[in-house]
Amino acid sequence: MSLTLQIIDPREDPEPAGWERLRTAAGQCVTWRYDLLRAYAWAAQAPVLLTVLREDGVAVGAVSASLRGLRPRRGLYAGRRDPAGILDVHAPGNRSQKGWWFAGDLDPERRRDLLRGYVRGVRRELGAGWRSFVWREVSPGEPALLPGRVRVNLPTEPLARLATPRTGIDDWYARLDRARRDSLRRRARSFSADPGLSVQVGPARELVTGSEAAALRAENDLKHRNRLFPLAPLPLPYLEALVGGDEVVAIAYRDGGGRLLGLSLILDHARWPVCLSWGALPPEDGGRKHLYFDGYVRMVEWAIGAGKTGLVLGKGQAEAKRDLGAELVPSSALAVPL
C-alpha cells in the first residue's frame, strides 16, 4: 500500500476530509474534534503539527506533535516553526490519551510501518534540524513498535483505570478497605442531605458554562503546574466548545446561592470514559472540604448506571486512586534520536 501524509497546522488549515469519520472509527474522545484541536493550537506554547496517515488515499490513523524549539518559550504563545528542535508526540490537552492512534485493529507490524513512514515524512517536511522525537504515554510493550533506537526511557506517572461493577455501587464499595468505604459513604450521605449544597450529574452543557469550567480548571492547573516550564491553563474558547457539545458529562457542586464550588468533567465514551479534569474552590475562598473524593463516588455511580466498562481516572494522585480500586498502568516517555 502507498502511504501519504497530510500534514496540518490546526490554526490555519481546514479540517481534513473524513476527519470526524476517522475519529469515530478509532474510538477517540471528543478532545480530538477538530474545532477543539484548533482552539488548543491557538493557545499552545509550541506549534502543533497534526498528521493524517493515508494508505491509498484512505485515512487510517493520526499523530499529533508539538514542535518544541531549542529555546524554551516560557509564557509565550506559539509562533512560527523554529529551524530545529524536538517533536513531542502527545495528545492535545489530555495526558490520559496517546498522541498517535489508528482506525481499526491493525497488526503490530503494520502499525510499526505506518509510524516509520510518519517519522520519515515529517523529517522531510521540517528539515534536518528536527532530529529527535519524544513519545509520551507509552504503555508496556509499545517501545518495540516505535521507530528508531530508544536512547532515554523515562518512567512517568502511571495511568489509573477503574473497572466498574455491573451490579451496583455496593459491589464497588466492597472492594475498598473498611475505613475508606465508611468515609466515602458517610460523606456522600452528608452532602446529599445538605440543603446548602447542590450535587448534579449530567450533560455538561446543561450544568455549567464555559467560563465557569475555565475558571475552576485554571484554579487546579495553576496550583500544580511546573515552575520551570509553566504551561498555560486551557483557554476559555476551548472550554466553551468542550462543554457546549454532546460528549462531555459534568459533576457540578454548587452552594445555596448557585456559585460553582467543584467541577469534574468526563469525556464520554462507549466503554471507557475519561476523567478529564477536577477543579474546586479552596475552603478559604468559600469551597467545601472532601468534595474531591465525593466526586469519585458520583463518577462511579454514573458509570454503573450508564453501563460503562470502567473509567479512565487519569494521572496524578496515584495512591489515592489505587485506594479507590483503580489499576495503575505503567507509562513512560521515550526519547528517540534519528
Side-chain angles (χ1 to χ4, degrees):
M1 292 186 178
S2 175
L3 175 66
T4 57
L5 306 184
Q6 184 179 4
I7 297 175
I8 299 161
D9 182 342
R11 294 175 298 180
E12 305 289 352
D13 296 329
E15 180 174 332
W19 175 257
E20 199 56 21
R21 184 170 60 253
L22 174 65
R23 177 179 80 88
T24 303
Q28 294 301 312
C29 287
V30 65
T31 46
W32 290 94
R33 203 174 68 200
Y34 197 73
D35 62 322
L36 288 170
L37 293 176
R38 173 165 288 166
Y40 175 87
W42 273 114
Q45 293 174 297
V48 174
L49 195 73
L50 177 66
T51 303
V52 180
L53 313 178
R54 298 184 183 273
E55 286 186 323
D56 296 336
V58 178
V60 295
V63 184
S64 179
S66 293
L67 303 179
R68 304 202 184 277
L70 299 180
R71 293 179 299 173
R73 297 176 180 272
R74 295 185 62 186
L76 299 176
Y77 291 119
R80 295 182 178 180
R81 299 177 188 171
D82 287 353
I86 296 172
L87 283 95
D88 184 355
V89 181
H90 66 101
N94 184 0
R95 294 195 303 156
S96 295
Q97 296 176 289
K98 301 179 190 299
W100 73 97
W101 44 265
F102 306 94
D105 187 19
L106 306 185
D107 64 70
E109 187 61 34
R110 190 173 170 198
R111 291 176 181 234
R112 186 183 301 113
D113 288 343
L114 287 171
L115 292 178
R116 284 173 180 163
Y118 162 76
V119 168
R120 288 194 298 266
V122 166
R123 280 205 62 201
R124 284 195 301 268
E125 169 75 14
L126 297 179
W130 297 84
R131 299 188 57 84
S132 296
F133 281 74
V134 173
W135 301 83
R136 298 187 184 272
E137 318 314 335
V138 179
S139 302
E142 286 187 323
L145 300 178
L146 300 177
R149 185 176 180 181
V150 175
R151 292 286 182 85
V152 178
N153 187 336
L154 181 65
T156 57
E157 290 181 302
L159 180 68
R161 291 166 58 92
L162 175 66
T164 51
R166 295 189 178 276
T167 50
I169 196 166
D170 285 340
D171 282 349
W172 173 64
Y173 278 131
R175 300 176 184 176
L176 313 181
D177 69 64
R178 182 174 179 178
R180 175 69 73 187
R181 178 172 63 246
D182 290 348
S183 68
L184 290 174
R185 278 177 161 158
R186 183 175 61 254
R187 287 167 182 160
R189 289 194 298 266
S190 175
F191 288 142
S192 296
D194 188 341
L197 182 68
S198 166
V199 186
Q200 294 181 294
V201 182
R205 65 180 184 278
E206 298 176 5
L207 299 182
V208 67
T209 67
S211 57
E212 288 178 318
L216 279 193
R217 170 76 189 228
E219 181 90 33
N220 188 69
D221 287 351
L222 294 174
K223 182 170 60 176
H224 295 291
R225 70 177 179 171
N226 186 296
R227 292 186 179 182
L228 181 59
F229 297 111
L231 296 178
L234 288 174
L236 176 58
Y238 185 96
L239 270 302
E240 286 179 330
L242 184 73
V243 304
D246 298 327
E247 299 175 72
V248 180
V249 173
I251 300 171
Y253 296 84
R254 295 184 183 272
D255 65 15
R259 184 172 61 153
L260 189 65
L261 304 182
L263 176 67
S264 182
L265 295 178
I266 304 170
L267 309 178
D268 203 0
H269 185 271
R271 298 180 63 244
W272 286 90
V274 177
C275 302
L276 177 68
S277 66
W278 164 260
L281 291 180
E284 58 268 25
D285 293 335
R288 302 285 288 273
K289 292 182 178 179
H290 308 306
L291 293 184
Y292 175 78
F293 282 102
D294 185 72
Y296 286 113
V297 175
R298 313 295 171 168
M299 287 182 206
V300 174
E301 286 179 329
W302 168 80
I304 292 172
K308 306 299 183 182
T309 304
L311 289 163
V312 179
L313 300 185
K315 297 197 163 199
Q317 303 292 330
E319 294 307 314
K321 292 172 182 176
R322 182 160 59 185
D323 288 347
L324 295 170
E327 173 194 10
L328 300 183
V329 181
S331 180
S332 60
L334 304 186
V336 184
L338 300 174

